[in-house]
Structure formats: C-alpha cells, structure tokens
Amino acid sequence: MGCDNKYNNAGVSNVSKLDLVIAGGGSAGWMAAAMLVKLLGPQLNITLVESSEIATVGVGEATIPPIRTFNQVLGIDEAEFLRATGGTIKLGIEFNHWNGPHSNYLHAFGSIGRDQGFASFHHYWHRARAEGLAEDFWHYSLNARAARAGKFAPLSHIANTPLDGLHYAYHFDAGRYAKLLQGYCLAAGVRHVDRVIEQVLLDPDNGHIQALQLADGATLTGDFFIDCSGARSLLLGDALGVGFDDYRQWLPCDRAIALPSERLAKVQPFTRSSANAGGWCWQIPLQHRTGNGIVYSADSLSDDQALVLLQQQLTGPALGEAKLIRFKVGRRRQQWHKNCVALGLASGFLEPLESTSLHLVQSAITRLVKLFPRQTINARDVQEFNRQAQTEFESVRDFIILHYHLNGRSEPFWQACQTMAVPERITQRVALFKASGRLFIEPNELFTEPAWQQVMLGQGIMPESYHTLADGLSAQQLAGFMRDLDTLYDRALNSLPSHEDYLRSQAKV
Ligand SMILES: Cc1cc2nc3c(=O)[nH]c(=O)nc-3n(C[C@H](O)[C@H](O)[C@H](O)COP(=O)(O)OP(=O)(O)OC[C@H]3O[C@@H](n4cnc5c(N)ncnc54)[C@H](O)[C@@H]3O)c2cc1C
C-alpha cells in the first residue's frame, strides 16, 4: 500500500500524486476526506482507515452557521442533507437558568438591530430602553423572534432594507452525516479500509510518520497523515508525542451522558441549554428523535445524580440506553507536527456548550487546504497553521468560559466558576462592556459582537453607560428608529412559515 514518503525526496515530480492517509472515520475523518477529495482530488490518493470495532463518539448534533458553507462547497443539496440526516434548523441557543433559577435568554445567530456608523446598535438600544422607548434587546433580533415563534424559511435579507435576514445552522444526526459524507467520498475515489491500527511507524531519520501498521499485519504507508482517531490521538499525541494543554481550570466539566428521546411534539428551531446544580443539559430537536445530554463535572455530581437530572428534563420516552462519555477539555500544543495534522477530538476538545467542535474541524480543514504542502513541508507553513489554530481555539474557549464565569447561580460548582481567575481577554471585555457598553472583537474571531453582547446581557451585565453618539438623535428620532425596526421585523416574521412546515416542504418529515 502506498509508496516511499515523497516529502523526504528532494526531487518529487510535479505529476506524482501524494498519498494521504486519514486515520479515523468519525465526523472529523469523513469531513476531511470529503473536502480534500473535492478540492485536491487530482493531487492526492486518499485512504481513510477506521475500525468498525472502535465506536465513534456519535454525538455532535448541533452546529453553527458556517457548516452551510462546508456543505455548499461539497455541493450537498440542503433538502437532501436535511432528509438524510434527520436535520432541523438552528437559529441559536436558548440558555435557561444560567443566571439564576428562572433566567432565560437566547444566543441568537446573526446581527441585532442596525449599527449606526461608529456605534453599534446596542448603544442606541441602551438609551432607548432607559427612556422607555424600546423592548428588550432580543426584540431587535430577527433570529431570536423567529426562534421564539418557531418560524423559518431561508431569508438572506429583509426585502428593500439593509437589514440582515436569518442566519442559521443545523441540528442533525452526526452518525448519519458521517454516512452521507462517506458515500460522497467513496463515489469520489477515496479508498476506505476497515482495520484496527495497531502501531504507528516512524522514520528513524526524521521522525516523520512512515506508515500505519494494521491488525492483519499490512502496513499503510503515506506521505502525509491526518489524525482523526478521536480523543486518544493515536498519531499526533501517542506516536509523535505532542503534549496537551489542559483547560480544566476554566472549564470544569469532564463528563457527559447522552440519552435520546422521542421527537418533540413541536420541533423548535433552536438548541436548549439548561443549567443545573453541577453542569447543564442540552436538548437538540431532530426530525426523528430528540438529542439530550448532560455535561457535568465528576467532582460535583455522581454519574447517578447526573442521570437523574438528565431524565428529569426529557420531554418524551427515552430511546435506548444512556451513554456515558468521559472527556478532557484542552488542546494539543501543535495541531500540525512533522507530516501529521490532527483534526477533531485528536487535536483537542472544547465542551459542546456553543456547538463548536465540528466547526473547528471545518476551519482546520480550510486552513490545511490553504497551507497544503506541495513538494516539501515548509516549517513556516506549519508554524502559521499552528499559530492560527491556537488563536482560534483560544478565542472560542474564552467565549465558552464567559458563560460559566458570568453565571448567577448559588451552588458551590457555580460559585467556584464566578470567582475563578479567567483569561485576561474575558476580564478586559466584561469590564469595558460594563462601564461603557463598548466591545471590541478581534478580526477573524468566530463569535461576533452581538454574540458576546447577548451572553453578557443575558447573564446580568448591564452597561452603566452608552456611547455619546446615541445622544445625537432626538427622543422622537430614537423612538422612530426603534419602531421602524420593529415594523420591519414584524413584517419579515409574518411572511415566514412555521419551522415544521418548512421541514415538511424540504425534508418530508
Ligand atoms: C458530549 C459531547 C457532545 C458533543 N456535542 C457536539 C455538538 O453538539 N456539536 C459539535 O459540533 N460537536 C459536538 N461534539 C464533538 C463531536 O462529537 C466531535 O468533535 C466529532 O464527532 C468529531 O469526532 P472525531 O471524528 O474526532 O472522533 P470520533 O468520533 O471518536 O472518531 C474516531 C475514529 O477513529 C477510529 N479509530 C480510533 N482508534 C482506532 C484504531 N486504533 N484503529 C482504527 N480506527 C481507530 C474510530 O473507529 C473512529 O472512526 C460533542 C462531543 C461530546 C463528547
């Protein structure tokens, strides 16, 4: 199988195809295979090796909007995708009880209101609210209003206005998605090997991976390897010895129990995240079932206690057995080392509060395509890949920590989160927002200003002031601005079908 490692040879021919081996066939493995065969198919011989004896994680059902671009690049039709995966629409996440027992807010995707020049909408809303001229913040988010009303149809912008329409992602059955991608890959020429990887063989001269030794004694050689072997990180972690940065000091949860139940009577277009005494529960509506789970810390809840909390939140009869998953939050210090890039759980894990794992797989694949080595592996490319990966991972991590840190609950687990020392980015942003409503997001950060604003407002940080530019409108103008937005959002909302009708039209529920 394969040939000599071409990256070790000085004069590789321009026409010679590289042998790319992907180890692992969970979501990460098949996503990588699909995108690489689509974009670099003529340059690569791709083999994906996985073992049907070693289960995939099998959760990973909620996503964020860029997943749509991923599917579009692959040419996957949306209706076909929704049908194949039992998918539904996700307009955001509803957070219950995070700021205290009866609290509730949404992190809705997309923009909120309309920014005015140098000051974001939030400053105008703040003044209008103080003067009794505005509804709550989420009233000016079309996504939030559609989510609450259970409505959806694709809408890129509100007709004849500069206002954004709906930003959406999907909930879907991760196992079915991997199957869909597998079919895509096999049709495009990816070779699939179902065998246990027993050993990773290294080149004694340069430490690169030479081959994977399989259970039947065969070896699978390659020029470049992608480690999608899950949390064990067989190639990057085990064989190449890349260390792991643990984030437990900020993200205390280390276990989850997943337990699907019968589909909801009404399939809502948003994920639910409900905090409890020692963690939080997710509820993810699919067409054919509801995904439920609890994420918790083994220090604060026993597995039995966690299961009871999870069972209490089920809205229908359970389907099958509860599945316990242990995990470690953190990341491999380098995601690319030698001739190996790790994706998915093999590269690290952030708990699923903001449904970011599959996105991190997607964006690492994009980064890899942009920096894909041609004749030699260039140390600068590797360095740049790792720099970008770290920046992205840490900014997503900090957004998740924000939710924990700003909680308004009284249990010891949550009080420890309130008082923990958090990364400086969070301290600085919360302090600035609290004092003045100002918020600055770095270029290329995944989570936008409205996302941070919603979590901070939703979890009790009300700014003490607003930008002076918002004083530039008379009270009458300000009231008119808010009213006009309200009218436009109302009109857009009224034109939308229910989420369920939309699914029926697309996916034949
Ligand atoms: C509780 C929980 C909830 C989550 N929720 C979400 C969510 O809502 N949204 C989201 O985006 N992400 C979520 N995730 C993350 C998501 O599930 C994973 O990031 C994603 O499924 C990618 O997993 P993976 O492919 O890296 O690993 P895995 O699914 O573990 O796949 C590993 C693959 O490697 C193969 N393998 C391993 N060892 C060997 C070997 N020795 N020989 C041969 N093959 C081998 C296995 O057969 C398997 O095919 C969640 C994760 C957890 C733990």
Short mmCIF file of all heavy atoms in Angstrom, two decimals, residues 65-112:
data_model
loop_
_atom_site.label_atom_id
_atom_site.label_comp_id
_atom_site.label_asym_id
_atom_site.label_seq_id
_atom_site.Cartn_x
_atom_site.Cartn_y
_atom_site.Cartn_z
N PRO A 65 -23.51 28.46 11.92
CA PRO A 65 -23.82 28.72 10.51
C PRO A 65 -22.76 28.36 9.46
O PRO A 65 -23.13 27.95 8.35
CB PRO A 65 -24.16 30.22 10.50
CG PRO A 65 -24.80 30.44 11.84
CD PRO A 65 -23.98 29.58 12.78
N PRO A 66 -21.45 28.47 9.73
CA PRO A 66 -20.52 28.15 8.65
C PRO A 66 -20.62 26.72 8.10
O PRO A 66 -20.14 26.44 7.00
CB PRO A 66 -19.14 28.38 9.29
CG PRO A 66 -19.39 29.34 10.40
CD PRO A 66 -20.75 29.00 10.92
N ILE A 67 -21.28 25.82 8.82
CA ILE A 67 -21.44 24.45 8.30
C ILE A 67 -22.15 24.47 6.95
O ILE A 67 -21.94 23.62 6.09
CB ILE A 67 -22.25 23.56 9.31
CG1 ILE A 67 -22.28 22.09 8.87
CG2 ILE A 67 -23.67 24.04 9.47
CD1 ILE A 67 -21.06 21.33 9.13
N ARG A 68 -22.95 25.50 6.73
CA ARG A 68 -23.67 25.58 5.45
C ARG A 68 -22.69 25.79 4.31
O ARG A 68 -22.86 25.26 3.22
CB ARG A 68 -24.71 26.70 5.50
CG ARG A 68 -25.83 26.36 6.49
CD ARG A 68 -26.78 27.53 6.68
NE ARG A 68 -27.18 28.11 5.43
CZ ARG A 68 -27.26 29.42 5.20
NH1 ARG A 68 -27.01 30.28 6.17
NH2 ARG A 68 -27.61 29.86 4.02
N THR A 69 -21.66 26.60 4.57
CA THR A 69 -20.65 26.82 3.52
C THR A 69 -19.93 25.51 3.22
O THR A 69 -19.63 25.20 2.07
CB THR A 69 -19.61 27.87 4.01
OG1 THR A 69 -20.33 28.97 4.51
CG2 THR A 69 -18.69 28.30 2.90
N PHE A 70 -19.66 24.77 4.26
CA PHE A 70 -18.97 23.48 4.08
C PHE A 70 -19.78 22.58 3.13
O PHE A 70 -19.26 22.06 2.15
CB PHE A 70 -18.80 22.81 5.45
CG PHE A 70 -17.90 21.60 5.43
CD1 PHE A 70 -16.53 21.74 5.48
CD2 PHE A 70 -18.44 20.32 5.36
CE1 PHE A 70 -15.70 20.62 5.47
CE2 PHE A 70 -17.61 19.21 5.34
CZ PHE A 70 -16.24 19.35 5.40
N ASN A 71 -21.07 22.46 3.43
CA ASN A 71 -21.92 21.62 2.58
C ASN A 71 -22.03 22.19 1.17
O ASN A 71 -22.04 21.44 0.19
CB ASN A 71 -23.32 21.50 3.19
CG ASN A 71 -23.35 20.54 4.37
OD1 ASN A 71 -22.37 19.85 4.64
ND2 ASN A 71 -24.46 20.50 5.08
N GLN A 72 -22.11 23.53 1.09
CA GLN A 72 -22.24 24.14 -0.24
C GLN A 72 -21.00 23.87 -1.09
O GLN A 72 -21.10 23.57 -2.27
CB GLN A 72 -22.46 25.66 -0.11
CG GLN A 72 -23.91 26.02 0.20
CD GLN A 72 -24.04 27.41 0.83
OE1 GLN A 72 -23.09 28.19 0.85
NE2 GLN A 72 -25.22 27.70 1.35
N VAL A 73 -19.81 23.98 -0.48
CA VAL A 73 -18.58 23.73 -1.24
C VAL A 73 -18.58 22.28 -1.75
O VAL A 73 -18.17 22.00 -2.87
CB VAL A 73 -17.32 24.02 -0.40
CG1 VAL A 73 -16.05 23.61 -1.14
CG2 VAL A 73 -17.25 25.50 -0.04
N LEU A 74 -19.08 21.39 -0.92
CA LEU A 74 -19.13 19.98 -1.36
C LEU A 74 -20.24 19.75 -2.40
O LEU A 74 -20.29 18.70 -3.03
CB LEU A 74 -19.38 19.06 -0.17
CG LEU A 74 -18.27 18.97 0.88
CD1 LEU A 74 -18.67 18.00 1.98
CD2 LEU A 74 -16.94 18.53 0.26
N GLY A 75 -21.13 20.74 -2.53
CA GLY A 75 -22.24 20.58 -3.49
C GLY A 75 -23.37 19.72 -2.94
O GLY A 75 -24.12 19.13 -3.69
N ILE A 76 -23.47 19.67 -1.60
CA ILE A 76 -24.56 18.88 -1.00
C ILE A 76 -25.82 19.72 -0.95
O ILE A 76 -25.83 20.81 -0.37
CB ILE A 76 -24.18 18.41 0.42
CG1 ILE A 76 -22.98 17.46 0.35
CG2 ILE A 76 -25.35 17.74 1.12
CD1 ILE A 76 -22.44 17.02 1.69
N ASP A 77 -26.86 19.24 -1.55
CA ASP A 77 -28.13 19.94 -1.60
C ASP A 77 -28.76 19.97 -0.20
O ASP A 77 -28.77 18.96 0.50
CB ASP A 77 -29.04 19.20 -2.59
CG ASP A 77 -30.45 19.71 -2.58
OD1 ASP A 77 -30.64 20.86 -3.01
OD2 ASP A 77 -31.36 18.98 -2.11
N GLU A 78 -29.30 21.14 0.17
CA GLU A 78 -29.79 21.29 1.55
C GLU A 78 -30.97 20.36 1.87
O GLU A 78 -31.00 19.73 2.93
CB GLU A 78 -30.20 22.74 1.81
CG GLU A 78 -30.66 22.96 3.22
CD GLU A 78 -30.77 24.43 3.58
OE1 GLU A 78 -29.76 25.01 4.04
OE2 GLU A 78 -31.85 24.99 3.39
N ALA A 79 -31.90 20.25 0.94
CA ALA A 79 -33.06 19.39 1.20
C ALA A 79 -32.62 17.94 1.35
O ALA A 79 -33.07 17.22 2.24
CB ALA A 79 -34.08 19.54 0.08
N GLU A 80 -31.70 17.55 0.49
CA GLU A 80 -31.18 16.18 0.54
C GLU A 80 -30.45 15.95 1.88
O GLU A 80 -30.59 14.92 2.53
CB GLU A 80 -30.23 16.00 -0.66
CG GLU A 80 -29.24 14.83 -0.61
CD GLU A 80 -29.92 13.49 -0.51
OE1 GLU A 80 -31.11 13.42 -0.84
OE2 GLU A 80 -29.27 12.52 -0.06
N PHE A 81 -29.70 16.96 2.29
CA PHE A 81 -28.97 16.87 3.56
C PHE A 81 -29.95 16.73 4.74
O PHE A 81 -29.77 15.87 5.62
CB PHE A 81 -28.11 18.14 3.72
CG PHE A 81 -27.62 18.39 5.10
CD1 PHE A 81 -26.52 17.70 5.61
CD2 PHE A 81 -28.27 19.29 5.94
CE1 PHE A 81 -26.07 17.92 6.90
CE2 PHE A 81 -27.83 19.52 7.23
CZ PHE A 81 -26.73 18.83 7.71
N LEU A 82 -31.00 17.56 4.76
CA LEU A 82 -31.97 17.51 5.87
C LEU A 82 -32.66 16.15 5.91
O LEU A 82 -32.89 15.58 6.98
CB LEU A 82 -33.00 18.64 5.74
CG LEU A 82 -32.46 20.06 5.98
CD1 LEU A 82 -33.50 21.12 5.60
CD2 LEU A 82 -32.03 20.26 7.44
N ARG A 83 -32.97 15.65 4.71
CA ARG A 83 -33.61 14.32 4.65
C ARG A 83 -32.67 13.24 5.18
O ARG A 83 -33.04 12.43 6.01
CB ARG A 83 -33.96 13.98 3.20
CG ARG A 83 -35.40 14.25 2.83
CD ARG A 83 -35.78 13.55 1.53
NE ARG A 83 -34.96 13.96 0.40
CZ ARG A 83 -35.20 15.06 -0.33
NH1 ARG A 83 -36.21 15.86 -0.02
NH2 ARG A 83 -34.42 15.36 -1.35
N ALA A 84 -31.44 13.28 4.69
CA ALA A 84 -30.50 12.19 5.01
C ALA A 84 -30.11 12.18 6.48
O ALA A 84 -29.83 11.11 7.04
CB ALA A 84 -29.26 12.31 4.13
N THR A 85 -30.06 13.33 7.11
CA THR A 85 -29.53 13.39 8.47
C THR A 85 -30.62 13.58 9.53
O THR A 85 -30.29 13.72 10.71
CB THR A 85 -28.52 14.56 8.62
OG1 THR A 85 -29.23 15.79 8.39
CG2 THR A 85 -27.36 14.44 7.64
N GLY A 86 -31.89 13.65 9.10
CA GLY A 86 -32.95 13.95 10.07
C GLY A 86 -32.80 15.36 10.61
O GLY A 86 -33.22 15.66 11.73
N GLY A 87 -32.21 16.21 9.81
CA GLY A 87 -31.79 17.54 10.28
C GLY A 87 -32.94 18.51 10.50
O GLY A 87 -34.04 18.36 9.94
N THR A 88 -32.70 19.49 11.34
CA THR A 88 -33.63 20.59 11.58
C THR A 88 -32.81 21.89 11.54
O THR A 88 -31.59 21.86 11.45
CB THR A 88 -34.34 20.46 12.94
OG1 THR A 88 -33.33 20.55 13.98
CG2 THR A 88 -35.08 19.14 13.09
N ILE A 89 -33.52 22.99 11.64
CA ILE A 89 -32.87 24.30 11.55
C ILE A 89 -32.51 24.79 12.96
O ILE A 89 -33.27 24.62 13.90
CB ILE A 89 -33.82 25.32 10.88
CG1 ILE A 89 -34.18 24.85 9.47
CG2 ILE A 89 -33.23 26.73 10.88
CD1 ILE A 89 -33.03 24.70 8.50
N LYS A 90 -31.36 25.43 13.05
CA LYS A 90 -30.95 26.02 14.34
C LYS A 90 -30.72 27.52 14.13
O LYS A 90 -29.88 27.93 13.34
CB LYS A 90 -29.66 25.34 14.82
CG LYS A 90 -29.09 25.98 16.07
CD LYS A 90 -27.86 25.26 16.57
CE LYS A 90 -27.19 26.07 17.67
NZ LYS A 90 -25.91 25.49 18.10
N LEU A 91 -31.49 28.32 14.88
CA LEU A 91 -31.35 29.79 14.80
C LEU A 91 -30.54 30.35 15.96
O LEU A 91 -30.22 31.54 15.98
CB LEU A 91 -32.74 30.44 14.77
CG LEU A 91 -33.61 30.09 13.55
CD1 LEU A 91 -35.03 30.61 13.74
CD2 LEU A 91 -33.00 30.66 12.28
N GLY A 92 -30.25 29.50 16.94
CA GLY A 92 -29.48 29.97 18.10
C GLY A 92 -29.61 28.97 19.23
O GLY A 92 -30.08 27.84 19.03
N ILE A 93 -29.21 29.43 20.41
CA ILE A 93 -29.28 28.57 21.61
C ILE A 93 -30.05 29.31 22.69
O ILE A 93 -29.78 30.49 22.94
CB ILE A 93 -27.87 28.25 22.15
CG1 ILE A 93 -26.99 27.63 21.06
CG2 ILE A 93 -27.94 27.33 23.36
CD1 ILE A 93 -25.54 27.41 21.49
N GLU A 94 -30.97 28.61 23.32
CA GLU A 94 -31.68 29.19 24.46
C GLU A 94 -30.96 28.74 25.73
O GLU A 94 -30.76 27.54 25.95
CB GLU A 94 -33.12 28.69 24.48
CG GLU A 94 -33.92 29.26 25.64
CD GLU A 94 -35.30 28.61 25.72
OE1 GLU A 94 -35.38 27.40 26.01
OE2 GLU A 94 -36.28 29.33 25.51
N PHE A 95 -30.57 29.71 26.56
CA PHE A 95 -29.90 29.39 27.82
C PHE A 95 -30.88 29.59 28.97
O PHE A 95 -31.34 30.71 29.23
CB PHE A 95 -28.68 30.30 28.01
CG PHE A 95 -27.56 29.95 27.07
CD1 PHE A 95 -27.43 30.59 25.85
CD2 PHE A 95 -26.66 28.95 27.39
CE1 PHE A 95 -26.41 30.25 24.97
CE2 PHE A 95 -25.64 28.60 26.52
CZ PHE A 95 -25.51 29.25 25.31
N ASN A 96 -31.20 28.50 29.64
CA ASN A 96 -32.12 28.56 30.78
C ASN A 96 -31.35 28.39 32.08
O ASN A 96 -30.46 27.53 32.15
CB ASN A 96 -33.15 27.43 30.69
CG ASN A 96 -34.03 27.58 29.47
OD1 ASN A 96 -34.46 28.69 29.15
ND2 ASN A 96 -34.28 26.50 28.78
N HIS A 97 -31.72 29.16 33.07
CA HIS A 97 -31.23 29.03 34.46
C HIS A 97 -29.73 29.33 34.62
O HIS A 97 -29.17 28.98 35.65
CB HIS A 97 -31.50 27.61 35.02
CG HIS A 97 -32.82 27.04 34.60
ND1 HIS A 97 -33.98 27.75 34.66
CD2 HIS A 97 -33.15 25.81 34.10
CE1 HIS A 97 -34.98 26.99 34.21
NE2 HIS A 97 -34.50 25.83 33.87
N TRP A 98 -29.12 29.91 33.62
CA TRP A 98 -27.68 30.20 33.77
C TRP A 98 -27.45 31.40 34.68
O TRP A 98 -26.43 31.49 35.35
CB TRP A 98 -27.03 30.45 32.39
CG TRP A 98 -26.75 29.15 31.69
CD1 TRP A 98 -27.66 28.36 31.05
CD2 TRP A 98 -25.49 28.47 31.61
NE1 TRP A 98 -27.04 27.23 30.57
CE2 TRP A 98 -25.71 27.27 30.89
CE3 TRP A 98 -24.20 28.75 32.04
CZ2 TRP A 98 -24.68 26.35 30.61
CZ3 TRP A 98 -23.18 27.85 31.76
CH2 TRP A 98 -23.43 26.67 31.06
N ASN A 99 -28.42 32.32 34.66
CA ASN A 99 -28.23 33.49 35.51
C ASN A 99 -29.08 33.41 36.76
O ASN A 99 -29.40 34.42 37.37
CB ASN A 99 -28.57 34.76 34.70
CG ASN A 99 -27.99 36.00 35.35
OD1 ASN A 99 -26.93 35.94 35.96
ND2 ASN A 99 -28.70 37.12 35.26
N GLY A 100 -29.45 32.21 37.14
CA GLY A 100 -30.31 32.02 38.31
C GLY A 100 -31.45 31.13 37.90
O GLY A 100 -31.67 30.91 36.70
N PRO A 101 -32.21 30.62 38.88
CA PRO A 101 -33.21 29.58 38.63
C PRO A 101 -34.22 29.90 37.51
O PRO A 101 -34.56 29.02 36.76
CB PRO A 101 -33.91 29.44 39.97
CG PRO A 101 -32.93 29.94 40.98
CD PRO A 101 -32.06 30.94 40.30
N HIS A 102 -34.69 31.13 37.40
CA HIS A 102 -35.75 31.36 36.39
C HIS A 102 -35.26 32.16 35.19
O HIS A 102 -36.06 32.65 34.40
CB HIS A 102 -36.95 32.07 37.04
CG HIS A 102 -37.46 31.30 38.22
ND1 HIS A 102 -38.06 30.07 38.07
CD2 HIS A 102 -37.41 31.54 39.56
CE1 HIS A 102 -38.36 29.59 39.27
NE2 HIS A 102 -37.97 30.46 40.19
N SER A 103 -33.97 32.31 35.07
CA SER A 103 -33.46 33.17 33.99
C SER A 103 -33.53 32.45 32.66
O SER A 103 -33.53 31.22 32.58
CB SER A 103 -32.02 33.57 34.29
OG SER A 103 -31.20 32.45 34.20
N ASN A 104 -33.56 33.25 31.63
CA ASN A 104 -33.69 32.69 30.29
C ASN A 104 -33.24 33.76 29.28
O ASN A 104 -33.63 34.90 29.38
CB ASN A 104 -35.17 32.34 30.08
CG ASN A 104 -35.53 32.10 28.65
OD1 ASN A 104 -35.60 33.03 27.85
ND2 ASN A 104 -35.77 30.87 28.32
N TYR A 105 -32.38 33.37 28.38
CA TYR A 105 -32.03 34.29 27.27
C TYR A 105 -31.61 33.46 26.07
O TYR A 105 -31.38 32.25 26.18
CB TYR A 105 -30.92 35.27 27.68
CG TYR A 105 -29.53 34.65 27.81
CD1 TYR A 105 -28.62 34.68 26.75
CD2 TYR A 105 -29.13 34.04 29.00
CE1 TYR A 105 -27.35 34.12 26.87
CE2 TYR A 105 -27.86 33.47 29.11
CZ TYR A 105 -26.98 33.52 28.05
OH TYR A 105 -25.73 32.95 28.17
N LEU A 106 -31.48 34.14 24.94
CA LEU A 106 -31.05 33.44 23.72
C LEU A 106 -29.69 33.96 23.28
O LEU A 106 -29.41 35.16 23.41
CB LEU A 106 -32.02 33.74 22.59
CG LEU A 106 -33.20 32.81 22.37
CD1 LEU A 106 -34.16 33.46 21.37
CD2 LEU A 106 -32.77 31.46 21.80
N HIS A 107 -28.87 33.06 22.77
CA HIS A 107 -27.77 33.50 21.92
C HIS A 107 -28.27 33.19 20.51
O HIS A 107 -28.21 32.05 20.04
CB HIS A 107 -26.47 32.75 22.23
CG HIS A 107 -25.44 32.92 21.15
ND1 HIS A 107 -24.37 32.07 20.99
CD2 HIS A 107 -25.32 33.83 20.15
CE1 HIS A 107 -23.65 32.45 19.94
NE2 HIS A 107 -24.21 33.52 19.42
N ALA A 108 -28.82 34.25 19.88
CA ALA A 108 -29.34 34.08 18.53
C ALA A 108 -28.24 34.40 17.54
O ALA A 108 -27.46 35.33 17.76
CB ALA A 108 -30.52 35.02 18.33
N PHE A 109 -28.14 33.63 16.46
CA PHE A 109 -27.14 33.93 15.44
C PHE A 109 -27.52 35.24 14.73
O PHE A 109 -28.67 35.66 14.76
CB PHE A 109 -27.09 32.83 14.37
CG PHE A 109 -26.74 31.47 14.90
CD1 PHE A 109 -27.40 30.34 14.43
CD2 PHE A 109 -25.75 31.30 15.85
CE1 PHE A 109 -27.08 29.07 14.90
CE2 PHE A 109 -25.42 30.03 16.32
CZ PHE A 109 -26.10 28.92 15.84
N GLY A 110 -26.52 35.81 14.06
CA GLY A 110 -26.80 36.95 13.19
C GLY A 110 -26.72 38.27 13.91
O GLY A 110 -26.30 38.36 15.07
N SER A 111 -27.14 39.32 13.20
CA SER A 111 -26.99 40.67 13.76
C SER A 111 -28.21 41.03 14.60
O SER A 111 -29.24 40.35 14.56
CB SER A 111 -26.81 41.66 12.62
OG SER A 111 -27.90 41.52 11.74
N ILE A 112 -28.07 42.13 15.33
CA ILE A 112 -29.20 42.62 16.13
C ILE A 112 -29.37 44.10 15.80
O ILE A 112 -28.41 44.88 15.86
CB ILE A 112 -28.96 42.42 17.64
CG1 ILE A 112 -28.81 40.92 17.91
CG2 ILE A 112 -30.09 43.03 18.46
CD1 ILE A 112 -28.88 40.50 19.34
#
